[in-house]
Amino acid sequence: MNEETDVVVVGGGIAGLITARELGRAGLRVVVLEARNRLGGRVWTDRRLGRDLEMGGTWVHWVQPHVWSEITRYGLEVTRGPRPEDAYWLAGDEVRKGTLDGFMELVDPGMRRLLAETMRWIPRPDKPVSVDGLTSVDGYSVRDKLDELQLPVEEYNANEAAWVGHFNAPLEDGAFTSALRWTAATAGSWHLMHEASALFRLASGTRALVDAIVSDTHADIRTSREVRHIEHNTSGSVVTTASGDRLTARRVVLTLPQNIIGDLAVSPELCEEKRAASREKTASKGVKVWIRVRGPIKPFFAYSSAGHPLSVVRTEFLGGDDAVLVSFGADSGKISPDDIDAVSRALRVWRDDLDVLEVTGHDWMSDPYSRETWLMQRPRQLTRYLPAQQRSEGVLHFAGSDYANVWGGFIDGAIESGLRVARQVVAELAASPETSATGGIR
């Protein structure tokens, strides 16, 4: 099948759907091609363990301006999990038990020292690479900077665990500037950053946001449509799907994550910076596991380290005779979200009184349409690659949470980038209304 349209959006995640909505509002014909049989991308609410669970992106906050605007636009309700009554962490090989407030007091001195110069290096999170000399900091990992602090062992372990939870990766792989970017988004407050990144969620699940955007767009949205090849010149592009369909468009918006965008056949090929970032991969390579345990239990959270199969565990839902925990591990190769025995063993790092009934999750690292969890950059990737990752190439434009300025890796970042790219495409096409959809490509 051959057809023509104004814009093809490759990818039906949040960034792609926002882009399509905005382009449609501008009167453009838009086709969205999503390889999966569902929409949302790395945002996915699924019914499992008797609850609506988030397999991917989850948390939102009012300091995230773009997602909060969408929540307000569509009248979505926000909720949160139960406040932990108990806290567990490690001091070397010893398990400590206390309260949430006690743990926060333990990590506070290290956090303050680690992040003391956040606003010096990234005073404007909307312009994350604007400060001269940022390359001198971008070469460090979080592990490098944490080691410089020479913290007592219990403080070190606690701070390490908190950052492993944020990064979903070993800390030697994660860029210190990624920690600075998250904290700069909350004006240098690590307490607010911690809250904004892991506490509040949509009461009806992220599917409510996906459904609301879809209902608000005039785009032609097609699932199970994997794109295999894109040919482009200065006037237009031809997008070919796995089934052999050819769509000719005046502009194309690519929303593929960093780890897979370099695998797409594009002629002429994408710039070297985009391809290099894709070869290097992001730092995050972890796993998210949902665990149903026998109840009743008191809500709790627990931190270990990147060396353990599960680094972070906390209670997210409480029932009369059960509870559902959400957990994260820094390396998906160490534990499967479907292995109930392995998950049970992992929980015994902190406590041996939990009776695991069911486990579930999604292995994003082996998912061919993501091969990553959320964006946390490696050292030097911010300054080497982000400007080029955001830059259009002729008729090709690039949106996605991985390419956001303020909340990269979050739902908010996906919305930000979709809005930005849609505005660029509308402006370009308005400046050249005579350009045909065929663009001279046959």
Side-chain angles (χ1 to χ4, degrees), residues 258-336:
Q258 175 177 316
N259 282 11
I260 65 169
I261 195 169
D263 297 336
L264 181 63
V266 180
S267 304
E269 65 184 6
L270 301 179
C271 71
E272 171 56 22
E273 292 94 336
K274 289 186 179 75
R275 290 182 287 117
S278 191
R279 289 193 302 267
E280 290 179 15
K281 311 303 181 190
T282 64
S284 299
K285 60 178 184 179
V287 64
K288 181 180 187 179
V289 185
W290 288 97
I291 309 165
R292 188 168 79 91
V293 299
R294 193 178 308 279
I297 66 168
K298 292 196 298 183
F300 75 97
F301 84 87
Y303 281 122
S304 59
S305 72
H308 293 81
L310 294 180
S311 308
V312 181
V313 179
R314 82 156 183 252
T315 309
E316 196 66 16
F317 298 95
L318 283 176
D321 59 0
D322 72 351
V324 175
L325 318 176
V326 64
S327 63
F328 296 89
D331 186 344
S332 63
K334 290 184 177 181
I335 195 166
S336 166

Side-chain angles (χ1 to χ4, degrees), residues 8 39 68 94 110-111 132 161 167 183 244 285 302 317 399 409 415 427:
V8 169
L39 298 172
W68 204 257
E94 296 182 14
M111 286 286 184
D132 291 339
F167 270 73
T183 313
K285 60 178 184 179
F317 298 95
I415 297 168

Side-chain angles (χ1 to χ4, degrees), residues 31 167 216 223 246 258 274 329 352 375 407 425:
V31 176
F167 270 73
D216 201 21
T223 57
R246 288 166 55 89
Q258 175 177 316
K274 289 186 179 75
D352 58 8
L375 175 76
W407 285 102
V425 170

Side-chain angles (χ1 to χ4, degrees), residues 4 78 110 157 164 180 215 361 364-365 367 379 414:
E4 295 183 3
V78 173
N157 287 165
V164 167
L180 295 179
S215 297
W364 293 101
M365 294 306 298
D367 186 323

